[in-house]
């Protein structure tokens, strides 16, 4: 773990899924529900679509994950149709309630108290991002100076490419080296590192505990630890 220096940081860039909002269990449920709609037996879904498999889905595209699940359950459906069905289910589940991750409010407050700008940088599509934020953080439009999503026009490649974090920094008008990025996955940490982000904090969740976070400056148990870092 590298030395921590936040004295030059002017902006905090938050990942969303599994970092700010506890969406991973909801995404898992959506995959399971979609599989059942396309003919998978309930016991097969319970057995095959477990936490271990979903951990492999984190940081990968819906198309890749759908194809893997279709093959695993031997479903007779095209991957693009499965992705559309899963997306609709996921959004409906988000509307029913998506909780903030532990320490999320504290980390946002920590940045605000220090006059730092904030943004959300997510590989997810805007439809999912806004549904998550509307559910978990209804006042988000008054909090974040920018929200960058994986399907935005300016994004050529999603994480682990640096595009999303570089776009966040651009919109906030802050140099990447004066930004902090907070991430829960190896892919996200790699994205921030490639973008030259000045400070990278990793907060593993239940699905990413085994990811490689060696490129992070600090690994934390929750976002609440930001408050004790100065």
């Amino acid at each position: 773990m590298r030395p921590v220096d936040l004295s030059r940081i002017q902006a905090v860039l938050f990942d969303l899924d599994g970092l700010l909002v506890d969406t991973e269990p909801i995404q898992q449920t959506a995959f399971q529900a979609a599989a059942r709609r396309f003919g998978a037996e309930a016991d097969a879904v319970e057995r095959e679509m477990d936490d271990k498999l979903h951990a492999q889905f984190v940081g990968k595209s819906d198309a890749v994950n759908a194809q893997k699940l279709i093959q695993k359950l031997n479903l007779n459906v095209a991957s693009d149709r499965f992705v559309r069905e899963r997306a609709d289910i996921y959004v409906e589940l988000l509307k029913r309630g998506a909780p903030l991750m532990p320490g999320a409010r504290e980390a946002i407050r920590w940045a605000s108290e220090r006059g730092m700008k904030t943004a959300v940088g997510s590989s997810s599509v805007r439809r999912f991002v806004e549904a998550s934020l509307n559910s978990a953080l209804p006042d988000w439009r008054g909090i974040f100076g920018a929200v960058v999503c994986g399907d935005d026009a300016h994004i050529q490649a999603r994480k682990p490419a640096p595009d999303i974090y570089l776009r966040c920094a651009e919109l906030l008008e802050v140099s990447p080296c004066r930004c902090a990025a907070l991430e829960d996955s190896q892919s996200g940490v790699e994205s921030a590192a490639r973008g030259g982000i000045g400070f990278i904090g990793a907060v593993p969740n239940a699905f990413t505990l085994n990811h490689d976070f060696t490129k992070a400056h600090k690994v934390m148990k929750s976002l609440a630890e930001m408050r004790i870092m100065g």
Side-chain angles (χ1 to χ4, degrees):
M1 198 176 300
R2 289 175 284 170
V4 177
D5 179 11
L6 297 177
S7 62
R8 299 174 68 248
I9 298 301
Q10 298 175 345
V12 181
L13 316 179
F14 294 91
D15 178 50
L16 181 73
D17 296 306
L19 187 282
L20 272 184
V21 185
D22 191 11
T23 58
E24 294 300 345
I26 302 174
Q27 296 201 47
Q28 182 181 19
T29 298
F31 272 111
Q32 292 170 333
R36 288 192 294 270
R37 286 192 184 182
F38 289 113
E41 296 292 336
D43 60 344
V45 172
E46 186 72 21
R47 182 177 63 254
E48 300 293 348
M49 188 60 217
D50 57 7
D51 290 356
K52 183 177 180 180
L53 179 63
H54 187 71
Q56 299 174 29
F57 284 9
V58 176
K60 297 183 176 66
S61 72
D62 285 347
V64 169
N65 292 335
Q67 189 59 48
K68 184 170 185 175
L69 191 57
I70 288 167
Q71 292 174 350
K72 199 170 188 64
L73 294 171
N74 195 29
L75 301 177
N76 185 24
V77 59
S79 61
D80 58 345
R81 186 182 175 197
F82 187 98
V83 167
R84 289 195 301 271
E85 185 73 15
R86 206 283 311 192
D88 290 342
I89 294 170
Y90 181 50
V91 170
E92 287 305 311
L93 290 173
L94 289 173
K95 290 178 180 178
R96 298 179 192 176
L100 286 172
M101 292 293 286
R105 279 283 187 187
E106 291 90 333
I108 292 170
R109 192 176 302 117
W110 176 87
S112 176
E113 289 171 351
R114 286 155 182 77
M116 296 177 179
K117 299 179 180 181
T118 57
V120 171
S122 173
S123 280
S124 290
V125 299
R126 186 161 293 273
R127 180 190 182 195
F128 296 165
V129 169
E130 294 195 357
S132 297
L133 289 172
N134 286 337
S135 181
L137 201 65
D139 54 343
W140 64 272
R141 288 181 175 83
I143 295 174
F144 302 112
V147 174
V148 178
C149 306
D151 61 342
D152 288 356
H154 289 81
I155 303 305
Q156 299 299 312
R158 303 182 188 189
K159 301 174 186 178
D163 303 36
I164 289 171
Y165 281 124
L166 291 177
R167 180 62 175 164
C168 284
E170 179 184 8
L171 291 174
L172 295 181
E173 299 181 331
V174 176
S175 171
C177 68
R178 290 185 175 271
C179 292
L182 299 176
E183 273 287 351
D184 69 295
S185 71
Q186 179 179 341
S187 176
V189 167
E190 178 68 26
S191 171
R194 291 185 189 181
I197 299 300
F199 171 81
I200 306 170
V203 189
N205 58 50
F207 295 100
T208 62
L209 287 172
N210 294 322
H211 284 206
D212 181 359
F213 294 114
T214 54
K215 292 186 178 180
H217 293 87
K218 184 175 179 62
V219 179
M220 298 174 278
K221 293 182 179 179
S222 88
L223 286 170
E225 289 189 33
M226 294 299 293
R227 296 196 65 82
I228 63 174
M229 290 175 59

